[in-house]
Short mmCIF file of all heavy atoms in Angstrom, two decimals:
data_model
loop_
_atom_site.label_atom_id
_atom_site.label_comp_id
_atom_site.label_asym_id
_atom_site.label_seq_id
_atom_site.Cartn_x
_atom_site.Cartn_y
_atom_site.Cartn_z
N ASN A 137 9.72 19.24 -1.48
CA ASN A 137 10.72 18.17 -1.36
C ASN A 137 10.57 17.39 -0.06
O ASN A 137 11.54 17.12 0.66
CB ASN A 137 12.15 18.72 -1.48
CG ASN A 137 12.45 19.19 -2.88
OD1 ASN A 137 12.08 18.54 -3.85
ND2 ASN A 137 13.08 20.34 -3.00
N THR A 138 9.34 17.02 0.23
CA THR A 138 9.05 16.24 1.44
C THR A 138 9.57 14.82 1.27
O THR A 138 9.18 14.13 0.32
CB THR A 138 7.53 16.22 1.70
OG1 THR A 138 7.05 17.56 1.78
CG2 THR A 138 7.20 15.46 2.97
N PRO A 139 10.47 14.35 2.14
CA PRO A 139 10.94 12.96 2.04
C PRO A 139 9.77 12.00 2.27
O PRO A 139 9.02 12.17 3.23
CB PRO A 139 11.96 12.84 3.18
CG PRO A 139 12.32 14.24 3.53
CD PRO A 139 11.10 15.07 3.24
N HIS A 140 9.61 11.05 1.36
CA HIS A 140 8.44 10.17 1.53
C HIS A 140 8.80 8.74 1.84
O HIS A 140 9.88 8.26 1.54
CB HIS A 140 7.47 10.30 0.36
CG HIS A 140 7.79 9.55 -0.88
ND1 HIS A 140 7.61 8.20 -1.00
CD2 HIS A 140 8.22 9.97 -2.09
CE1 HIS A 140 7.92 7.82 -2.23
NE2 HIS A 140 8.30 8.87 -2.90
N VAL A 141 7.85 8.11 2.53
CA VAL A 141 7.94 6.69 2.85
C VAL A 141 7.18 5.92 1.78
O VAL A 141 6.50 6.49 0.94
CB VAL A 141 7.37 6.39 4.26
CG1 VAL A 141 8.11 7.17 5.32
CG2 VAL A 141 5.87 6.65 4.32
N TRP A 142 7.28 4.60 1.85
CA TRP A 142 6.65 3.74 0.85
C TRP A 142 5.52 2.93 1.49
O TRP A 142 5.71 2.28 2.51
CB TRP A 142 7.69 2.81 0.23
CG TRP A 142 8.72 3.59 -0.52
CD1 TRP A 142 9.91 4.06 -0.05
CD2 TRP A 142 8.61 4.05 -1.86
NE1 TRP A 142 10.56 4.78 -1.02
CE2 TRP A 142 9.79 4.79 -2.15
CE3 TRP A 142 7.65 3.91 -2.86
CZ2 TRP A 142 10.02 5.39 -3.38
CZ3 TRP A 142 7.89 4.50 -4.09
CH2 TRP A 142 9.04 5.22 -4.35
N ALA A 143 4.36 2.97 0.85
CA ALA A 143 3.21 2.19 1.31
C ALA A 143 3.21 0.80 0.68
O ALA A 143 2.28 0.03 0.89
CB ALA A 143 1.91 2.93 0.96
N THR A 144 4.24 0.46 -0.05
CA THR A 144 4.34 -0.83 -0.76
C THR A 144 4.30 -2.01 0.21
O THR A 144 3.62 -3.00 -0.03
CB THR A 144 5.65 -0.88 -1.56
OG1 THR A 144 5.71 0.26 -2.41
CG2 THR A 144 5.76 -2.15 -2.38
N VAL A 145 5.04 -1.90 1.30
CA VAL A 145 5.09 -2.92 2.34
C VAL A 145 4.97 -2.21 3.69
O VAL A 145 5.80 -1.36 4.01
CB VAL A 145 6.42 -3.72 2.30
CG1 VAL A 145 6.47 -4.72 3.45
CG2 VAL A 145 6.61 -4.41 0.97
N CYS A 146 3.93 -2.54 4.43
CA CYS A 146 3.75 -1.98 5.77
C CYS A 146 3.43 -3.12 6.73
O CYS A 146 2.80 -4.11 6.34
CB CYS A 146 2.58 -1.00 5.82
SG CYS A 146 2.73 0.43 4.74
N GLN A 147 3.86 -2.98 7.96
CA GLN A 147 3.51 -3.92 9.01
C GLN A 147 2.92 -3.10 10.15
O GLN A 147 3.43 -2.03 10.48
CB GLN A 147 4.75 -4.68 9.49
CG GLN A 147 4.54 -5.56 10.71
CD GLN A 147 4.68 -4.80 12.03
OE1 GLN A 147 5.39 -3.81 12.11
NE2 GLN A 147 3.98 -5.27 13.05
N PHE A 148 1.81 -3.59 10.70
CA PHE A 148 1.25 -2.88 11.86
C PHE A 148 0.59 -3.87 12.80
O PHE A 148 0.14 -4.94 12.39
CB PHE A 148 0.24 -1.81 11.42
CG PHE A 148 -0.97 -2.32 10.69
CD1 PHE A 148 -2.14 -2.64 11.38
CD2 PHE A 148 -0.96 -2.48 9.32
CE1 PHE A 148 -3.26 -3.11 10.71
CE2 PHE A 148 -2.08 -2.95 8.64
CZ PHE A 148 -3.23 -3.26 9.34
N THR A 149 0.59 -3.52 14.07
CA THR A 149 -0.14 -4.29 15.07
C THR A 149 -1.35 -3.48 15.49
O THR A 149 -1.39 -2.26 15.33
CB THR A 149 0.75 -4.61 16.29
OG1 THR A 149 1.30 -3.41 16.81
CG2 THR A 149 1.87 -5.56 15.91
N ARG A 150 -2.33 -4.16 16.02
CA ARG A 150 -3.58 -3.51 16.41
C ARG A 150 -3.36 -2.78 17.73
O ARG A 150 -3.40 -3.37 18.80
CB ARG A 150 -4.69 -4.56 16.52
CG ARG A 150 -6.07 -3.97 16.48
CD ARG A 150 -7.11 -5.02 16.20
NE ARG A 150 -7.03 -5.56 14.86
CZ ARG A 150 -7.46 -4.93 13.76
NH1 ARG A 150 -7.98 -3.74 13.86
NH2 ARG A 150 -7.38 -5.51 12.59
N ASN A 151 -3.07 -1.48 17.63
CA ASN A 151 -2.80 -0.65 18.81
C ASN A 151 -3.16 0.79 18.50
O ASN A 151 -3.52 1.12 17.36
CB ASN A 151 -1.32 -0.78 19.22
CG ASN A 151 -0.40 -0.36 18.10
OD1 ASN A 151 -0.47 0.76 17.61
ND2 ASN A 151 0.46 -1.27 17.66
N SER A 152 -3.05 1.65 19.50
CA SER A 152 -3.52 3.03 19.34
C SER A 152 -2.67 3.82 18.34
O SER A 152 -3.18 4.67 17.62
CB SER A 152 -3.55 3.74 20.69
OG SER A 152 -2.26 3.75 21.27
N PHE A 153 -1.35 3.53 18.28
CA PHE A 153 -0.51 4.26 17.33
C PHE A 153 -0.91 3.93 15.89
O PHE A 153 -1.11 4.84 15.07
CB PHE A 153 0.97 3.98 17.55
CG PHE A 153 1.85 4.73 16.59
CD1 PHE A 153 2.16 6.05 16.82
CD2 PHE A 153 2.36 4.10 15.46
CE1 PHE A 153 2.96 6.77 15.93
CE2 PHE A 153 3.15 4.80 14.56
CZ PHE A 153 3.46 6.14 14.79
N ALA A 154 -1.01 2.64 15.58
CA ALA A 154 -1.40 2.25 14.22
C ALA A 154 -2.79 2.77 13.88
O ALA A 154 -3.04 3.21 12.75
CB ALA A 154 -1.34 0.73 14.08
#
Side-chain angles (χ1 to χ4, degrees):
N137 291 318
T138 304
H140 81 76
V141 301
W142 295 93
T144 306
V145 177
C146 300
Q147 172 275 333
F148 62 92
T149 54
R150 199 164 291 284
N151 59 58
S152 59
F153 180 80

